[in-house]
Amino acid sequence: MKDKEEIIKNINKLKEEKNAIILAHNYQPKEIQKIADFLGDSLELCIKAKETDADIIVFCGVDFMAETAKILNPDKKVLMPEIEGTQCPMAHQLPPDIIKEYREKYPDTPLVVYVNTTAETKALADITCTSANADKVVNSLDAETVLFGPDNNLAYYVQKRTNKKIIPIPIGGGCYVHKKFTLEDLKRVKEKYPNAIVLIHPECNPELQDNADYIASTSGMLKIVLNSDEKEFIIGTEVGMIDRIELELEKIGEKKVLIPLREDAICNEMKKITLQKIEKSLLEEIYEIKLDKDIIKRAKVAIERMLNIKG
């Protein structure tokens, strides 16, 4: 059996031979974060996928992320090192039939969908958003009422930052990881670390958002920790984000105390990818993301509208 260093060496060799790039989300296991060419949140990964001149994109994340990379790069080969069990549950909470139902009820109302959705859903949207730009996207629209899905907690976050009426769809949509966090969790951790700054992801429940020092996407959390003079931070998102922040702190030789709001805030789907699977994916060029051309064309319009918003 190969050791880790040998696998990493072979991954780098295969990347060079095949002009491949590895994109990884901030929630990926630490060993994946360390070998990725680019780490980021959904928005950053969208931008990087659009800009890359690689022939092959190896996407370490969940299904909708690899689909988004394919939509933005229809002529490139997009691979996921693992296809089984990497379907984001929230991304599948807003299927086309639910959209059709709300479109009939609100025929002239624009639909904003989180990038955490399937390609088919993006193809039916007017524009996409991420947790980093959701309020900006909604405020860019020339409409008083907006359909917004599938994350109800992100809808709450946006509603607090706009004068528009937000209609969350479907009822109850959200991320099972972020929904785990409770006020009791926050009180418990704050008692132990009373001076810690509380960072909460906008996918968290409203009562957590209302008691945060900062509500931020994963990229936002990283910037806050790196640029702050404070030394202790409670991280209210998936635990992989702590590894991500620690990697950046190591680069600049700083040490800060990063406290997970919950140790069990784990996205199971994000943890399916391993170094061995990346090596195999590059070697055999599996598993390739393939989408219908019409879906790609329509979904690309919604994503590029988001990417073209200035400011």
Side-chain angles (χ1 to χ4, degrees), residues 234-275:
I234 295 167
I235 308 298
T237 190
E238 211 270 354
V239 292
M241 191 59 206
I242 289 179
D243 291 331
R244 172 75 173 103
I245 298 170
E246 284 177 344
L247 281 177
E248 296 304 317
L249 288 171
E250 285 169 16
K251 289 178 186 176
I252 58 175
E254 279 196 43
K255 284 192 176 181
K256 296 190 178 184
V257 179
L258 306 174
I259 309 111
L261 185 50
R262 283 182 69 123
E263 296 275 1
D264 64 348
I266 297 168
C267 174
N268 297 318
E269 293 74 22
M270 278 282 186
K271 309 304 186 189
K272 300 287 185 182
I273 294 170
T274 63
L275 291 174

Side-chain angles (χ1 to χ4, degrees), residues 29-289:
K30 194 169 190 175
E31 65 178 14
I32 308 299
Q33 293 189 25
K34 283 184 173 180
I35 60 110
D37 295 294
F38 185 80
L39 279 167
D41 64 9
S42 295
L43 178 59
E44 291 169 327
L45 292 171
C46 280
I47 294 167
K48 197 66 180 179
K50 188 181 179 187
E51 291 175 346
T52 184
D53 59 0
D55 296 316
I56 295 175
I57 299 170
V58 180
F59 212 107
C60 299
V62 287
D63 60 344
F64 75 82
M65 296 177 177
E67 286 183 350
T68 302
K70 182 63 179 178
I71 291 162
L72 292 171
N73 297 274
D75 298 325
K76 295 183 189 295
K77 185 173 279 190
V78 177
L79 306 175
M80 277 195 77
E82 179 56 83
I83 209 77
E84 291 296 323
T86 53
Q87 290 76 35
C88 169
M90 178 165 63
H92 295 265
Q93 290 173 1
L94 187 58
D97 59 325
I98 292 179
I99 292 175
K100 184 182 177 185
E101 176 188 329
Y102 278 93
R103 286 288 204 191
E104 288 172 356
K105 195 173 178 182
Y106 303 94
D108 300 316
T109 305
L111 169 63
V112 179
V113 303
Y114 202 9
V115 290
N116 302 37
T117 47
T118 65
E120 289 80 8
T121 293
K122 290 183 181 73
L124 296 172
D126 293 287
I127 191 168
T128 61
C129 74
T130 72
S131 57
N133 66 12
D135 52 344
K136 190 187 297 181
V137 166
V138 167
N139 284 319
S140 75
L141 298 174
D142 185 20
E144 295 304 311
T145 303
V146 174
L147 295 171
F148 188 100
D151 192 309
N152 289 189
N153 289 337
L154 185 59
Y156 173 85
Y157 170 84
V158 173
Q159 186 63 82
K160 290 274 199 172
R161 289 157 180 80
T162 185
N163 292 323
K164 302 179 190 299
K165 180 184 178 183
I166 305 296
I167 301 173
I169 64 171
I171 295 168
C175 168
Y176 74 89
V177 177
H178 289 94
K179 281 186 171 185
K180 279 185 178 181
F181 298 122
T182 65
L183 267 184
E184 287 68 33
D185 294 327
L186 186 54
K187 288 172 186 172
R188 171 178 47 79
V189 179
K190 273 295 269 185
E191 279 178 12
K192 193 171 179 182
Y193 299 92
N195 298 318
I197 303 300
V198 179
L199 307 182
I200 294 294
H201 196 280
E203 287 181 19
C204 291
N205 293 325
E207 61 270 22
L208 272 300
Q209 296 187 37
D210 293 345
N211 284 276
D213 292 305
Y214 297 96
I215 308 167
S217 66
T218 55
S219 63
M221 289 182 180
L222 178 61
K223 287 171 189 168
I224 290 165
V225 175
L226 293 181
N227 294 322
S228 175
D229 292 329
E230 300 293 333
K231 297 300 179 186
E232 295 182 341
F233 298 86
I234 295 167
I235 308 298
T237 190
E238 211 270 354
V239 292
M241 191 59 206
I242 289 179
D243 291 331
R244 172 75 173 103
I245 298 170
E246 284 177 344
L247 281 177
E248 296 304 317
L249 288 171
E250 285 169 16
K251 289 178 186 176
I252 58 175
E254 279 196 43
K255 284 192 176 181
K256 296 190 178 184
V257 179
L258 306 174
I259 309 111
L261 185 50
R262 283 182 69 123
E263 296 275 1
D264 64 348
I266 297 168
C267 174
N268 297 318
E269 293 74 22
M270 278 282 186
K271 309 304 186 189
K272 300 287 185 182
I273 294 170
T274 63
L275 291 174
Q276 290 87 346
K277 289 176 182 178
I278 292 172
E279 181 187 32
K280 185 176 181 181
S281 180
L282 276 164
L283 185 64
E284 300 177 19
E285 298 189 11
I286 58 172
Y287 299 92
E288 186 177 356
I289 301 298

Side-chain angles (χ1 to χ4, degrees), residues 11-23:
I11 286 171
N12 290 331
K13 179 171 171 280
L14 287 164
K15 280 197 309 177
E16 190 173 344
E17 288 173 358
K18 300 190 177 198
N19 188 27
I21 187 173
I22 297 174
L23 303 184

